[in-house]
Amino acid sequence: MEWHPTDAQSLAIVDREIGEHHFAPAEYEILRRVIHETADFEYKSLIGFSEGALQSGVAALAARTTIIVDVPMIQVGISPAIQQTFANPVYCSMETITRPHKSKSQLARGIQTLAKRYPEAIFIIGQAQTALTALVELIEAEEIKPALAIATPSGFVDTDVVKERLQDTMIPNIRISGRKGSATVAVAILNGLADLAWEAYGKNGREM
């Protein structure tokens, strides 16, 4: 993406204040996007990348893999980057028609419905713990095998537990540990991935 001069100045401040770190270059690019969007340096210790998560996510974006999100805010937030790069289809669980179920929220039902249609999609859960729980249950039951799961919902009741369950799966994932997180963080992560994918596969005209 093209950065406004003010954004470039902000990123320079982020780089200066982060200082030394253990992140690989691509991981650091994602982290600095998150901190730039949130002004919260605690994410340096909260963000986690499973082995091969970035490679899997970048390749999936370049292959125009379907993207599933939990809330419209994420769909709107990632649309410019997606449309300017690989134009992946994006579907939102909140807007998916499902049958009512007493023990499941609309977001959880939407994720279940879309996951069964697109079992190898990129899943972005940025706001709803119920949607993340539904996704993890499907992964644990080996009903789906996402190309990548991005998990950043905030919450006080078992949110950290379900994030740890995702971490324990073999699915490539990028997650925010503990109680913190937001849809804004999820958007920053995906937009960073889209730029990395475009740099690797699209911008230079490489074969996909």
Side-chain angles (χ1 to χ4, degrees):
M1 66 178 287
E2 295 184 6
W3 293 97
H4 186 275
T6 301
D7 292 323
Q9 292 172 4
S10 297
L11 286 170
I13 293 171
V14 170
D15 292 338
R16 184 169 64 249
E17 294 196 19
I18 285 180
E20 294 185 4
H21 59 83
H22 65 277
F23 295 95
E27 293 175 344
Y28 180 69
E29 181 60 27
I30 300 298
L31 170 64
R32 72 201 290 258
R33 300 291 189 98
V34 170
I35 294 176
H36 174 261
E37 291 298 326
T38 63
D40 188 344
F41 284 84
E42 189 177 355
Y43 282 112
K44 179 181 177 181
S45 62
L46 297 178
I47 196 167
F49 303 87
S50 71
E51 185 176 355
L54 293 184
Q55 295 91 327
S56 180
V58 163
L61 285 171
R64 298 188 175 90
T65 299
T66 295
I67 300 171
I68 307 298
V69 306
D70 61 337
V71 292
M73 177 181 173
I74 297 176
Q75 187 171 19
V76 171
I78 69 174
S79 287
I82 293 300
Q83 293 306 316
Q84 291 168 19
T85 54
F86 302 102
N88 306 62
V90 181
Y91 298 102
C92 179
S93 68
M94 184 178 287
E95 298 173 348
T96 301
I97 298 174
T98 62
R99 293 182 179 180
H101 193 290
K102 291 182 179 180
S103 64
K104 298 284 186 181
S105 70
Q106 166 63 32
L107 288 168
R109 297 197 307 272
I111 285 293
Q112 288 177 325
T113 298
L114 290 170
K116 291 175 181 178
R117 293 177 188 168
Y118 308 101
E120 298 181 352
I122 297 169
F123 289 84
I124 309 175
I125 312 298
Q127 182 168 307
Q129 178 188 330
T130 56
L132 181 57
T133 299
L135 178 65
V136 170
E137 288 175 349
L138 290 169
I139 293 171
E140 291 174 338
E142 298 184 354
E143 294 184 32
I144 63 172
K145 191 176 182 180
L148 176 70
I150 297 173
T152 68
S154 62
F156 291 100
V157 182
D158 293 334
T159 304
D160 53 343
V161 174
V162 72
K163 290 177 181 177
E164 289 174 3
R165 286 169 60 189
L166 174 63
Q167 181 180 351
D168 290 339
T169 70
M170 299 299 292
I171 297 301
N173 66 84
I174 303 172
R175 66 204 173 276
I176 300 299
S177 300
R179 296 174 171 180
K180 274 195 172 183
S182 68
T184 298
V185 173
V187 169
I189 291 172
L190 193 283
N191 286 345
L193 273 177
D195 277 358
L196 290 172
W198 189 245
E199 194 71 28
Y201 290 95
K203 182 178 179 180
N204 298 322
R206 299 181 186 177
E207 292 292 331
M208 290 180 286

